[in-house]
Amino acid sequence: MARTRLYRHGVLTAEGFPVVDVSDHLEDPSAVVWVDLHAPTEDDLRAISEELGLHELAVEDALQRKQRPKLDVYDSHKFLNVYAARFDAESGRLEVADVAVFITGHALVTVRTSDDFAIDEVVRRWDESPRLAEHGVAFLIHGLLDYVVDSHFDTVEAMDEQIEALEEMVFDERPVGPDEQRRTYELRKSLVTLRRIVMPMREVVNTLLRRNEEIGDGALSPYFQDVYDQVLRASEWTESLRDLLGNVREAQLTMQGNRMNMIMKRVTSWAAIIAVPTMITGFYGQNIPFPGFGAPWGFLTSTLAIVLVSVVLYRVFRARDWL
């Protein structure tokens, strides 16, 4: 399944034409073509490769999944691979969707493996900025990267809110339960994945910024610079959240250790208080004559000793914050 668009002199003139007509449209120097391939087969990519003269290594990379974000430069075109991200606040999991992009002087080909990459959102951004369409392929690339980087930024922002909620739970009196521990683990795993797709974007966008004149007239440099600034903010924010989440986890473990220490102190203190009456009653339980043996005042003496020593121990432990 393929979607196509044709721009002439910065104006959208045609949509939905067959892929085999791409080379015919590109005979016009003022034409810019966009082709979107959804879950293409190897034959589909070979067909567009023949139309645009794409390098076989770039075609192989487009067919393979789990590529790192990158920008490869070939003689006749460039190959771009990027990921959009979406954070599920309910589960704490990160969902990523990749898109492979072939960039020539007058054509942009996007290859998606699934519908998770919202290409309609990219098209909407193009339609909202028709005045920039006169800048050719650079206009299409900017709209694509703007959507990708915005998805990274929104994801980091959503994760930040989740981590702030975990921070507030650290000093609660209620111990951290399995749900909070699982959420912390999922967030940590999602941050690792997000870092893998965000950090390389600095190099990708920076390279495009330096080569802006090769894919357009250079007039969109300020727009690419704005995208680059967003990339830097997202990458720096991701790094800070990674450290912050690590600190939250360490704080959770420290608080758990402190609570355990307090529990052990209380149990030990009460055990000491209980041990004294046991010692006294055990002493008075000897089968030998002792002071007060067989007399009522002997029972009163043992009872008074139990109460007195227990009260003294309780006050001493309380003063030392053991109880």
Side-chain angles (χ1 to χ4, degrees):
M1 180 179 179
R3 293 176 61 179
T4 54
R5 275 193 169 195
L6 172 65
Y7 292 86
R8 293 186 187 276
H9 300 289
V11 179
L12 178 62
T13 58
E15 287 186 89
F17 53 86
V19 175
V20 294
D21 294 343
V22 169
S23 57
D24 296 334
H25 290 305
L26 292 180
E27 292 178 357
D28 183 357
S30 65
V32 173
V33 174
W34 169 60
V35 178
D36 176 63
L37 302 177
H38 174 243
T41 64
E42 186 174 353
D43 292 337
D44 294 333
L45 281 180
R46 297 297 177 190
I48 195 67
S49 175
E50 293 176 0
E51 290 287 316
L52 300 177
L54 305 177
H55 198 281
E56 59 180 356
L57 292 179
V59 174
E60 290 179 4
D61 286 344
L63 289 171
Q64 296 177 359
R65 302 195 65 180
K66 306 300 182 182
Q67 294 279 336
R68 67 184 296 272
K70 63 178 182 177
L71 178 66
D72 294 335
V73 180
Y74 297 93
D75 292 338
S76 60
H77 65 93
K78 298 175 181 62
F79 176 77
L80 174 68
N81 193 83
V82 292
Y83 290 83
R86 189 181 73 85
F87 180 69
D88 186 357
E90 294 295 328
S91 63
R93 296 179 180 177
L94 180 69
E95 299 175 1
V96 297
D98 65 317
V99 60
V101 186
F102 298 98
I103 306 170
T104 70
H106 293 276
L108 184 79
V109 180
T110 55
V111 180
R112 298 177 293 126
T113 57
S114 68
D115 289 326
D116 294 336
F117 191 93
I119 196 66
D120 290 334
E121 177 63 22
V122 178
V123 173
R124 184 186 66 81
R125 292 173 187 244
W126 290 339
D127 293 340
E128 287 180 350
S129 305
R131 62 185 182 83
L132 300 179
E134 63 182 12
H135 301 296
V137 175
F139 154 72
L140 300 177
I141 298 173
H142 172 263
L144 177 69
L145 290 178
D146 189 52
Y147 161 70
V148 169
V149 175
D150 280 352
S151 73
H152 296 170
F153 203 81
D154 293 341
T155 299
V156 176
E157 188 175 14
M159 286 186 175
D160 189 20
E161 294 177 358
Q162 292 284 319
I163 294 175
E164 285 183 0
L166 287 176
E167 281 185 296
E168 295 176 357
M169 296 180 183
V170 170
F171 298 101
D172 285 348
E173 292 297 328
R174 182 178 63 87
V176 177
D179 292 340
E180 289 80 7
Q181 292 178 353
R182 180 177 294 275
R183 176 54 61 90
T184 303
Y185 171 76
E186 292 291 348
L187 278 172
R188 190 175 184 85
K189 187 168 65 173
S190 296
L191 273 174
V192 171
T193 303
L194 183 63
R195 185 177 183 273
R196 290 175 182 171
I197 66 175
V198 169
M199 299 303 291
M201 288 297 294
R202 294 185 295 186
E203 179 183 353
V204 169
V205 179
N206 189 34
T207 303
L208 283 172
L209 185 60
R210 295 197 308 268
R211 295 176 175 269
N212 184 250
E213 295 183 357
E214 298 179 13
I215 56 177
D217 53 13
L220 291 184
S221 292
Y223 294 89
F224 279 98
Q225 183 64 53
D226 180 69
V227 173
Y228 183 66
D229 292 341
Q230 287 286 86
V231 169
L232 291 180
R233 290 181 60 193
S235 59
E236 291 172 357
W237 201 350
T238 302
E239 285 293 303
S240 64
L241 288 184
R242 186 183 176 208
D243 295 337
L244 182 58
L245 186 59
N247 294 335
V248 169
R249 182 55 182 160
E250 291 178 1
Q252 288 177 345
L253 294 175
T254 301
M255 294 298 294
Q256 286 180 350
N258 291 339
R259 290 190 182 100
M260 182 61 68
N261 290 336
M262 292 299 297
I263 292 172
M264 292 303 298
K265 285 196 300 183
R266 290 189 177 99
V267 170
T268 303
S269 300
W270 282 113
I273 293 174
I274 295 172
V276 171
T278 303
M279 179 190 69
I280 295 174
T281 55
F283 175 79
Y284 275 87
Q286 300 177 90
N287 294 321
I288 60 174
F290 54 84
F293 181 77
W297 64 270
F299 172 75
L300 295 176
T301 302
S302 64
T303 302
L304 181 61
I306 290 173
V307 173
L308 180 62
V309 175
S310 297
V311 170
V312 170
L313 287 176
Y314 179 83
R315 297 192 63 177
V316 170
F317 294 158
R318 188 73 176 177
R320 297 186 179 184
D321 197 26
W322 291 3
L323 285 173

